[in-house]
């Protein structure tokens, strides 16, 4: 007997029915905004990740040498791949480019609740607009997706920040500060002790006093962004505050401002972000990690050799990830059960008629099973129950002599007969009720 | 600038729209038969493939050692994985087990027309029934899928064979023949010269005279299966012929016999098949390779440590594969274009109203884009055209003073005005025609 790999999941039909409902909701919402589906490779050249993130990233990758001697990796995220694709067709693609896709990604990480080595994300990105409406549309998509699941504003919040506010303030404290590492420190703020957080900022080049003042400023900014512009003389900070306010104003026009809280200590872990960034959190705090996040990455396409192309996106994890934890906590997780419209039960020498009934029902778009195991009446009825069949159509020799079939409602157990020619005949979805007196 | 890997494809939105239509047709057909979706890992332990197929299979695999020292491979096909999953839950799963999934697979192969190193298949399998109805249901699913694309019986044929007819006949010629290698030779028959084919049968243990007689028998059997039972004294051959006839009789009751031709020289490449096997071919011969194939593999689950569990399945390749070649040849390939229901064009200070109109249209299930780039009227109209918008709703300051919007049909260029409150208001899908005199 073989075993699957640690951190990789086999998903059986009942659970998959729930995941499929989740993925459909996320993708339908993306489509409604005009995001267009793309398909992307599972393998890329490892250098694409190393060039951006350094050799240490390889430790988190499923990286290997292929049979042609190429250093390749299973894709740990989509953003570098879509950046490569935008650069490859930058002359032909009309802007804004709006793409989505749902697919697995792989990271060699510690397995924990809601975190697996193989996980599915739906990536949603806009390329070619630096305007606040683009950031707001991404927030709007994310909010619609969650409300389409049945969540309200009491259940989740988007913590919105801006990389240039963080970067600008840091440089105002010390022009030589290592902003990349300082921003990584901010990203770790909620996950480590205060001392450790201050140590990380110190390592990035701030004094301890500066670190504390920087942190106080961020918290003051959460309540009132004007507190930052009063304190700061940096043009970068002033521009970033204006941009963040513009994005929130657009979000207001788009009807999703209510879900957004300014939270400048929200930094996002990845280095390539440049402007507005945000993370979605469970408002009750029961799901302690960020549910998903996104933001602006205006420099990535150019760093990949393309023309300067602003970009903003979000990537909810839809399977083997954190989003399901939020949906479960909020009581809107879809039912984990398969559903079946009809089971056509054949007893005796009635296979051609049963097959005709099944075919006609399938043509009307229904989920229909028939016997493929030559089983008894009772065994077939038990199986029909196990697949949650709504209606069982019994095609028996005796009934057929009267040109009838028996129609059984599996919820109530009620049954009646129907003319075989009327099953389905003109009926789009005949059930017990269609024929009962 | 980074490049993608050879044999791996980036699929952009217009082409993906066609592939999505293809995948939807295949999956909707599978669902209509009560096949249930599952999700499976991209990586498995390499030994699972080596144990079945020998060390030489590793040459065709993306195999490597992971960071935990495990020998792992990107899955080259689904069947071993689903066999593993059936064994893992064999007590809980009610039979028949009917599963499907669409996902990528990877093989390190020579790249050629319609063959890539990463390709997508929809695997459709039934576990737990040895009855001919199960084989016939798989054939029936495959035929429905193709006719749902708009193909007729003139466009494709299923070449149906039986592994036990081949194996039984071979053993009748020589009890010590290597049936695995002889059946592999039959699978290569159409791809190699006659001499080479006879050499392969000779290498498997037949004399050249036996090889020729064996081949003549297969061809005679195609026209009349009774020719085999007259010649053969093997119980295995007689049983297999009866089973093949039973499957074809069930296919007849299921309405798909017309698509099936007996073709005993169709053997399928994989070793694990045991009973009926089949391959789909382009009837015109323009697509020279098999479009897809399937068959019965009754011994695999037991060889994986499970209880004896008969199984039968089929796996059409839906992307980066041969099926698209058939659909293109037959002229039923879906249009490669994105589609958009509405573009809501905002000019002047009208963003809140434009956003409200867009939101209401999205809630009605439509694909709706709005401006995210602060562009001019003309630039927005050009973009709306580039995304094939059907209707453009112009939300302009002047119109809004009269509580109106302008509704433009992008096909004809006709436009009219509509009350802003009626867009969409009570209308489910308002267009130019809704408001034109």
């Amino acid at each position: 007997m073989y075993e699957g790999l640690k951190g990789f999941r086999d998903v059986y039909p009942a659970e998959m029915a729930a995941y499929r409902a989740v993925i459909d909701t996320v993708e339908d919402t993306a489509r409604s905004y005009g995001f267009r589906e793309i398909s992307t490779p599972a393998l890329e050249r490892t250098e694409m990740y190393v060039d951006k993130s350094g050799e240490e990233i390889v430790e988190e990758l499923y990286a290997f040498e292929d049979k042609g001697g190429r250093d390749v990796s299973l894709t740990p995220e989509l953003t570098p791949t879509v950046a490569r694709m935008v650069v490859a067709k930058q002359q032909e693609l009309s802007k804004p480019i709006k793409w989505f896709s749902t697919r697995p990604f792989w990271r060699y990480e510690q397995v924990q609740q809601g975190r697996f080595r193989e996980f599915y994300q739906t990536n949603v990105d806009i390329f070619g607009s630096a305007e606040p409406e683009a950031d707001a549309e991404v927030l709007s998509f994310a909010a619609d997706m969650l409300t389409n699941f049945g969540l309200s504003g009491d259940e989740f919040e988007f913590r919105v920040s801006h990389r240039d506010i963080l970067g600008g303030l840091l440089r105002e404290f010390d022009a030589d500060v290592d902003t990349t590492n300082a921003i990584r420190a901010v990203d770790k703020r909620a996950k480590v002790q205060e001392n450790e957080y201050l140590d990380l900022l110190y390592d990035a080049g701030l004094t301890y006093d500066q670190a504390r003042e920087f942190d106080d400023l961020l918290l003051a900014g959460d309540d009132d962004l004007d507190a930052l512009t009063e304190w700061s003389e940096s043009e970068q900070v002033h521009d970033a505050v204006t941009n963040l306010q513009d994005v929130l104003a657009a979000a207001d026009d788009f009807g999703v401002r209510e879900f957004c809280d300014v939270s400048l200590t929200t930094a996002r872990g990845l280095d390539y972000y440049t402007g507005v960034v945000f993370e979605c959190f469970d408002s009750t705090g029961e799901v302690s990690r960020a549910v998903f996040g996104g933001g602006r990455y205006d420099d990535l396409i150019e760093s990949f050799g393309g023309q300067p192309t602003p970009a903003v996106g979000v990537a909810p994890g839809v399977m083997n990830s954190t989003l399901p934890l939020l949906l479960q906590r909020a009581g809107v997780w879809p039912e984990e059960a398969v559903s079946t419209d009809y089971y056509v039960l054949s007893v005796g020498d009635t296979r051609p008629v049963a097959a005709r009934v099944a075919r006609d029902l399938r043509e009307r778009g229904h989920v229909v099973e028939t016997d493929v195991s030559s089983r008894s009446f009772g065994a077939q009825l038990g199986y029909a129950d196990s697949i949650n069949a709504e209606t069982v159509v019994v095609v028996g020799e005796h009934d057929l002599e009267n040109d009838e079939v028996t129609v059984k409602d599996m919820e109530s157990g009620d049954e009646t007969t129907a003319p075989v020619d009327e099953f389905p005949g003109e009926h789009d979805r005949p059930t017990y009720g269609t024929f009962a007196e």
Side-chain angles (χ1 to χ4, degrees), chain A residues 21 25 80 137 143-144 215 221 237 355 388:
Chain A
T25 295
E137 180 159 290
D144 274 13
D215 194 60
V237 171
N388 303 316

Side-chain angles (χ1 to χ4, degrees), chain A residues 84-286:
Chain A
R84 179 179 63 66
M85 285 174 66
V86 168
V87 173
K89 302 248 182 198
Q90 58 186 350
Q91 305 302 336
E92 306 159 43
L93 296 165
S94 68
K95 308 274 174 51
I97 300 160
K98 295 171 63 173
W99 287 348
F100 85 90
S101 65
T102 303
R103 38 154 297 189
F105 297 94
W106 301 271
R107 292 183 196 164
Y108 198 82
E109 289 188 304
Q110 285 305 313
V111 175
Q112 52 176 283
Q113 195 200 18
R115 179 172 291 170
F116 299 89
R117 288 177 175 167
E118 178 176 67
F119 58 95
Y120 283 70
Q121 282 184 347
T122 302
N123 280 260
V124 171
D125 292 280
I126 304 176
F127 302 92
S129 170
E131 298 298 318
E133 285 86 354
D135 307 69
E137 180 159 290
V138 167
L139 287 165
S140 184
F141 153 75
D144 274 13
M145 171 189 86
L146 294 175
T147 55
N148 286 342
F149 282 120
L151 293 176
S152 72
D154 297 336
E155 307 283 3
F156 68 91
E157 62 197 46
F158 295 151
R159 298 184 187 165
V160 186
S161 180
H162 199 295
R163 277 287 177 96
D164 277 352
I165 295 178
L166 299 176
L169 290 175
L170 286 163
R171 273 184 285 268
E172 241 176 312
F173 280 106
D174 184 333
D176 294 332
V177 69
D178 178 343
T179 53
T180 300
N181 277 329
I183 288 173
R184 285 182 187 169
V186 175
D187 182 55
K188 294 209 179 87
R189 184 179 184 278
K191 299 159 198 152
V192 298
Q193 298 292 315
E194 190 187 356
N195 281 351
E196 197 180 333
Y197 167 55
L198 295 174
D199 286 346
L200 288 168
L201 288 174
Y202 176 83
D203 292 344
L206 296 188
T207 67
Y208 283 97
D209 281 346
Q210 288 174 329
R212 268 184 288 266
E213 190 180 354
F214 170 68
D215 194 60
D216 288 344
L217 259 179
L218 298 184
L219 297 181
D222 287 355
D223 293 327
D224 181 6
L225 286 169
D226 293 337
L228 298 179
T229 43
E230 281 161 24
W231 182 90
S232 171
E233 294 175 358
S234 152
E235 192 179 343
Q236 185 184 23
V237 171
H238 282 248
D239 287 351
V241 167
T242 301
N243 179 246
L244 177 54
Q245 287 168 331
D246 287 347
V247 168
L248 293 172
D252 197 25
D253 284 350
F254 292 179
V256 298
R257 176 65 182 87
E258 60 175 307
F259 307 115
C260 302
D261 291 327
V262 173
S263 170
L264 299 177
T265 53
T266 296
R268 299 289 293 150
L270 294 163
D271 293 341
Y272 53 64
Y273 287 112
T274 55
V276 164
V277 292
F278 71 97
E279 291 183 341
C280 173
F281 276 85
D282 178 356
S283 296
T284 69
E286 272 188 59

Side-chain angles (χ1 to χ4, degrees), chain A residues 1-4 10 12:
Chain A
M1 182 160 150
Y2 299 98
E3 286 187 5
D10 301 326
Y12 289 77

Side-chain angles (χ1 to χ4, degrees), chain A residues 42-51 55 57-58 61-76 84:
Chain A
L43 281 182
E44 295 276 7
R45 290 173 192 277
T46 302
E47 61 176 345
M48 194 165 82
Y49 305 107
V50 171
D51 287 353
E55 276 292 343
I57 188 76
V58 176
L61 297 177
Y62 282 90
F64 61 100
E65 186 179 303
D66 82 1
K67 297 201 161 54
R70 305 170 193 90
D71 285 318
V72 297
S73 291
L74 284 167
T75 51
R84 179 179 63 66

